[in-house]
Amino acid sequence: MKVYIYDDTFKGYLTAIFKWFENKDFEDDVCRASLYGGNLINRPIDVFTDEACAARVVKGVLEKLGYEWLDMIHAVFLSELPEADMLGARAMRLGFKYGKSILNDERHEVIQPFLKVARAVKRETHSFLGFVRFSKLDSGIYYASCHPTYNILVLLAPHFADRMGDQSWVIHDTGRGIAAFYNQSDWHINTLNLSEPLLYAEDEMALRNNWRGYFEAVTISERVNLKLQQQKIPKKYWKYFTEDIGVLNQNTIE
Amino acid sequence: MELDKKIQILTQGAKYDVSCSSSGVERRGKKGQLGSAAESGICHSFTPDGRCISLLKILMSNNCDYNCAYCINRQSNDVPRATFTPEELVNLTMDFYRRNYIEGLFLSSAVCNNPDHTMERMVAVVRLLRKREGFNGYIHLKGIPGASEELLAQAGQYADRMSMNLELPTKKSLKLLAPQKSTQQITAPMHYLRDKIEESKALRQQFTKAPNFVPAGQTTQMMIGATNDSDYNIMTVSEGMYNAYQMKRVYYSAYIPVVQNNSLLPTTVHAPLLREHRLYQTDWLLRFYGFKTSEILDEAHPNLDLEMDPKCYWALNHLKFFPVEVNRAHISLLLRVPGIGPTSAQRIVKGRRYGKLDYDALKKMGVVLKRAKYFILCDGKFYGGKNTTQAKIRHQLVIEDPVMKKLNPDQLHMSSLFPEVFSSESLYLR
Ligand code: SF4
């Protein structure tokens, strides 16, 4: 059995998929380099990312399956789960064979987990559109740190480039050591590891206090329900918030 | 006065307005400007009470010349007063937005001097935001009852959404509790806004560049439990609001006893949150399930059964329609089955093309079988048990009701119960 190993990029993934289809042995595996363990029965094959091959897969998916599919395949890829690479490949193969509406067959053993992962990635992305918190630095740049479960910076960046179009910003995925950088016209993703503490703008702390004050004042004490709050904002995200999640402030309960 | 103090006072005065949705309009950002709007709305945080924070919901001023009995800001109440300058509000909105704390601004105000004076100041804020700051984020502007059409027309150019709050479902109740407001003053602006919204929509179909007017539509809100109006009264008014004014949403807010010792108001200590929850569920049935108020409530049965959701209540009283075969039933019928929602109904209709659906398949599609099983057949089979009677089913439905389950007698007043309503936008996100 062969394993097509690629360089962890989406284009690399599509190239590997191209080889997988071309070779027609569907017992073979596709696997990103960072997740490849290797064993005795596998025969690893290094795939070199090839723009043309990747483009042909994209074209095929768009023509035969449509944009929604491409979007989902990308989302599943970004999950970085061990099963992600094969889920995408198998789902695509089913799509080409039975048509795009196979996605409606929610019970299918491949489609079901494929949709589940794609939806989880999209759900997290949607949450982060709201949860990202910028701080203004002394340099005037707005900086946010976060650590999403999935590798979603590339899905977040276009939203913020559109919305915060007139300010330079950085969204730092501290867990992965990468960041999206935006300079008021384009964004790109690169590695980032901070060695020195950040220097905040003069009014930053006052604004954070304004926000915390707002957050406390808008709570209706007769309705307090911390469990629900935790359900809405999973604990693993808490430390990236400006406001205090999971606690009741004295002013709120008075 | 310090800014922090103002924020505190003017937020506390605004927080009982339950609407905080930022949905209903999709607007891309503009080059070199700040802001965009997302069709489905975005939650930026959740308060300790579990409600979504999407907008900076705040009052321009709480210095009120009116004296509505139920309101903490009423003139005769002894509370600290504050008023923002337009500049303060503009800066606060921009600074919060730049840090991604909010989707935009929801501005309301107590009545200072007179309705027009108040409305004018509010319009000044949104004009500055849109014109001077180039702000493209979401703006929800409350209309002040009795404000002139001219001011509404200006407000509507800048706001994405506007709301005139009904406050109470009947003229009589309004007269009793808010003697300075009249139903006329509230519905006339609704009327005006509806016409202008339609006009702008029609124009925009011909000329895409025609100006927008309140593109995310209008909403309204009623208070629950401050008067003895029945659920039937309330839902009939709601239905009228949806039909006559094309309201995007009607919000219900359980009256929280912020006012003590007023003979006009109930002396309850606890807000009727369970009732509020049931009304939201009923509202949901009107908007997404094809129900009419008259199917659920009437003069003879003016109030909902608090122990179960209104759809179960309806189904239980219409057992003659059930059970329905999930492999054949039309989607409109599936939607009437307790435990089947719009998403699972869609999944059933699509999924059954690939073969017969059995009990297990329904589970995977998100059908709540604990409720649905008494009302469906899967491929001819009934899973609701032997000798089911109406009384037995009712008993089971009450036990299995997600709200009732969490309820023990000491908790009746606690708000740990009804959360879904506050996050209602997100129900439709998958
Ligand atoms: S007009 Fe009535 S409801 Fe509005 S702030 Fe004044 S007292 Fe309260």
Side-chain angles (χ1 to χ4, degrees):
Chain A
M1 186 174 96
K2 293 193 279 296
V3 184
Y4 296 97
I5 298 173
Y6 69 93
D7 61 359
D8 279 64
T9 65
F10 190 52
K11 277 182 188 159
Y13 177 55
L14 296 174
T15 312
I17 294 277
F18 183 84
K19 304 279 180 212
W20 185 71
F21 271 112
E22 196 180 46
N23 222 15
K24 289 202 180 66
D25 186 349
F26 297 113
E27 294 297 306
D28 291 347
D29 266 354
V30 173
C31 185
R32 64 192 75 191
S34 63
L35 286 174
Y36 181 65
N39 61 31
L40 292 177
I41 25 178
N42 281 344
R43 188 151 65 80
I45 296 181
D46 285 321
V47 173
F48 296 98
T49 300
D50 178 334
E51 297 263 349
C53 293
R56 276 179 65 185
V57 177
V58 169
K59 188 160 173 272
V61 172
L62 286 180
E63 278 172 4
K64 296 214 176 64
L65 305 175
Y67 180 76
E68 191 195 358
W69 270 80
L70 188 63
D71 204 37
M72 289 215 182
I73 292 163
H74 188 211
V76 170
F77 166 82
L78 293 175
S79 76
E80 300 182 333
L81 293 169
E83 67 270 27
D85 289 337
M86 285 317 292
L87 272 181
R90 295 218 172 90
M92 235 186 281
R93 182 161 169 247
L94 285 167
F96 287 139
K97 200 158 158 194
Y98 299 108
K100 59 177 167 189
S101 61
I102 186 80
L103 270 195
N104 294 328
D105 189 1
E106 303 243 354
R107 287 169 293 166
H108 193 285
E109 57 172 7
V110 174
I111 299 299
Q112 198 246 342
F114 174 76
L115 288 174
K116 198 173 144 205
V117 174
R119 284 175 188 156
V121 173
K122 297 205 160 241
R123 207 175 307 120
E124 184 176 58
T125 307
H126 187 81
S127 296
F128 270 69
L129 298 186
F131 294 169
V132 164
R133 292 282 177 274
F134 288 105
S135 300
K136 192 177 178 186
L137 302 182
D138 194 39
S139 58
I141 293 172
Y142 286 79
Y143 168 89
S145 63
C146 60
H147 184 185
T149 310
Y150 307 118
N151 191 1
I152 55 175
L153 274 190
V154 45
L155 301 180
L156 297 176
H159 169 85
F160 287 105
D162 182 52
R163 169 165 292 195
M164 312 296 185
D166 71 341
Q167 69 192 40
S168 298
W169 51 253
V170 177
I171 304 175
H172 190 183
D173 182 338
T174 47
R176 292 179 178 79
I178 55 174
F181 299 83
Y182 176 75
N183 61 4
Q184 302 182 39
S185 100
D186 303 295
W187 61 270
H188 70 277
I189 291 185
N190 213 331
T191 53
L192 176 67
N193 290 298
L194 294 177
S195 47
E196 281 166 47
L198 295 162
L199 199 58
Y200 293 112
E202 217 173 301
D203 59 345
E204 178 59 25
M205 294 305 150
L207 260 150
R208 287 191 196 175
N209 279 334
N210 290 158
W211 173 245
R212 289 201 192 98
Y214 174 73
F215 186 75
E216 280 159 23
V218 79
T219 302
I220 299 182
S221 51
E222 289 85 344
R223 287 179 182 267
V224 161
N225 184 350
L226 288 176
K227 227 164 119 190
L228 178 66
Q229 186 192 31
Q230 178 170 351
Q231 210 172 301
K232 299 292 182 186
I233 315 178
K235 234 179 177 148
K236 58 185 171 189
Y237 301 149
W238 288 7
K239 70 171 181 179
Y240 298 96
F241 278 80
T242 311
E243 59 273 27
D244 296 323
I245 309 294
V247 292
L248 276 181
N249 186 285
Q250 208 46 46
N251 292 341
T252 320
I253 17 182
E254 56 172 303
Chain B
M1 190 187 284
E2 295 261 312
L3 187 61
D4 268 333
K5 191 72 199 155
K6 279 193 188 181
I7 294 175
Q8 193 196 358
I9 294 171
L10 293 165
T11 302
Q12 280 174 347
K15 70 181 171 188
Y16 296 103
D17 198 308
V18 287
S19 113
C20 183
S21 143
S22 60
S23 59
V25 59
E26 180 78 29
R27 184 170 50 237
R28 295 281 319 261
K30 290 195 190 123
K31 252 224 129 46
Q33 288 187 13
L34 184 72
S36 63
E39 172 73 39
S40 57
I42 293 175
C43 286
H44 286 254
S45 193
F46 291 87
T47 46
D49 57 34
R51 296 183 307 158
C52 150
I53 296 189
S54 173
L55 304 172
L56 169 60
K57 176 162 53 177
I58 206 156
L59 299 179
M60 180 96 217
S61 168
N62 71 339
N63 212 337
C64 201
D65 284 324
Y66 284 13
N67 213 9
C68 309
Y70 48 81
C71 178
I72 41 169
N73 301 324
R74 70 190 188 286
Q75 193 187 31
S76 62
N77 200 22
D78 182 21
V79 289
R81 305 284 171 175
T83 301
F84 277 121
T85 64
E87 213 56 48
E88 280 171 330
L89 263 176
V90 168
N91 291 339
L92 202 58
T93 307
M94 293 295 284
D95 283 331
F96 280 3
Y97 197 90
R98 287 192 179 286
R99 287 164 178 76
N100 203 39
Y101 298 162
I102 53 171
E103 278 299 285
L105 175 67
F106 177 1
L107 186 59
S108 179
S109 182
V111 180
C112 314
N113 297 334
N114 60 57
D116 273 353
H117 176 80
T118 313
M119 198 74 216
E120 229 169 73
R121 293 189 54 127
M122 293 166 73
V123 171
V125 173
V126 292
R127 184 187 296 119
L128 283 175
L129 274 172
R130 290 282 196 237
K131 292 280 168 201
R132 193 185 72 196
E133 305 289 332
F135 176 72
N136 276 313
Y138 196 90
I139 294 181
H140 180 157
L141 201 59
K142 188 85 90 60
I144 302 296
S148 71
E149 290 191 350
E150 197 190 311
L151 283 167
L152 292 171
Q154 292 180 31
Q157 296 169 32
Y158 308 121
D160 289 299
R161 173 164 281 180
M162 288 191 69
S163 56
M164 302 292 311
N165 282 359
L166 275 172
E167 312 288 13
L168 296 158
T170 57
K171 271 192 184 148
K172 198 174 116 239
S173 309
L174 192 71
K175 208 176 177 96
L176 193 68
L177 296 184
Q180 286 128 317
K181 292 179 185 165
S182 73
T183 316
Q184 214 314 68
Q185 285 180 331
I186 299 169
T187 52
M190 284 180 179
H191 216 100
Y192 177 77
L193 290 175
R194 180 201 64 192
D195 291 347
K196 292 283 282 185
I197 290 169
E198 272 174 13
E199 189 186 299
S200 129
K201 268 198 202 142
L203 261 179
R204 284 175 62 86
Q205 275 181 354
Q206 293 176 42
F207 317 100
T208 33
K209 288 257 158 60
N212 251 320
F213 191 89
V214 195
Q218 53 175 333
T219 62
T220 190
Q221 173 171 317
M222 273 183 275
M223 207 178 330
I224 307 308
T227 56
N228 58 7
D229 297 299
S230 69
D231 294 342
Y232 176 62
N233 287 152
I234 293 165
M235 290 316 302
T236 309
V237 171
S238 280
E239 194 166 46
M241 287 287 129
Y242 287 124
N243 294 339
Y245 297 108
Q246 275 91 52
M247 286 291 160
K248 286 289 184 227
R249 284 293 296 271
V250 176
Y251 292 93
Y252 309 88
S253 119
Y255 169 64
I256 293 177
V258 287
V259 178
Q260 301 300 336
N261 309 324
N262 184 322
S263 58
L264 296 174
L265 289 163
T267 46
T268 48
V269 204
H270 308 309
L273 293 168
L274 181 54
R275 186 174 171 210
E276 176 195 282
H277 179 64
R278 295 300 182 213
L279 287 167
Y280 271 110
Q281 290 180 315
T282 313
D283 185 87
W284 219 248
L285 293 182
L286 301 187
R287 291 190 299 140
F288 301 110
Y289 292 77
F291 276 84
K292 292 201 168 56
T293 300
S294 58
E295 290 180 88
I296 307 165
L297 296 160
D298 54 37
E299 297 277 3
H301 309 90
N303 287 306
L304 295 164
D305 184 340
L306 291 184
E307 291 191 320
M308 65 175 80
D309 76 60
K311 199 169 160 198
C312 288
Y313 175 66
W314 176 85
L316 208 54
N317 291 324
H318 295 83
L319 284 178
K320 56 176 192 273
F321 296 146
F322 300 106
V324 300
E325 169 60 57
V326 290
N327 284 293
R328 269 197 311 274
H330 188 260
I331 184 155
S332 60
L333 209 54
L334 290 175
L335 280 173
R336 297 246 155 177
V337 176
I340 298 183
T343 311
S344 49
Q346 284 288 346
R347 287 184 185 162
I348 290 173
V349 174
K350 286 180 177 168
R352 64 190 179 191
R353 289 186 210 139
Y354 297 87
K356 283 251 160 68
L357 302 179
D358 54 16
Y359 201 63
D360 236 30
L362 292 182
K363 195 186 240 155
K364 283 201 189 127
M365 293 174 163
V367 174
V368 185
L369 289 160
K370 284 180 293 201
R371 288 200 282 286
K373 64 180 176 190
Y374 307 105
F375 305 97
I376 52 169
L377 293 175
C378 309
D379 202 12
K381 273 216 239 18
F382 183 68
Y383 290 84
K386 289 207 179 74
N387 307 322
T388 44
T389 61
Q390 192 187 30
K392 273 194 199 163
I393 300 178
R394 181 179 193 283
H395 182 72
Q396 286 305 322
L397 289 175
V398 172
I399 293 180
E400 291 296 347
D401 185 88
V403 177
M404 297 308 290
K405 248 182 166 165
K406 288 187 228 157
L407 202 70
N408 70 48
D410 319 329
Q411 268 191 334
L412 249 173
H413 62 280
M414 294 211 13
S415 42
S416 48
L417 304 174
F418 331 95
E420 299 79 26
V421 296
F422 297 111
S423 50
S424 39
E425 303 313 322
S426 61
L427 276 180
Y428 280 84
L429 286 174
R430 286 194 302 180

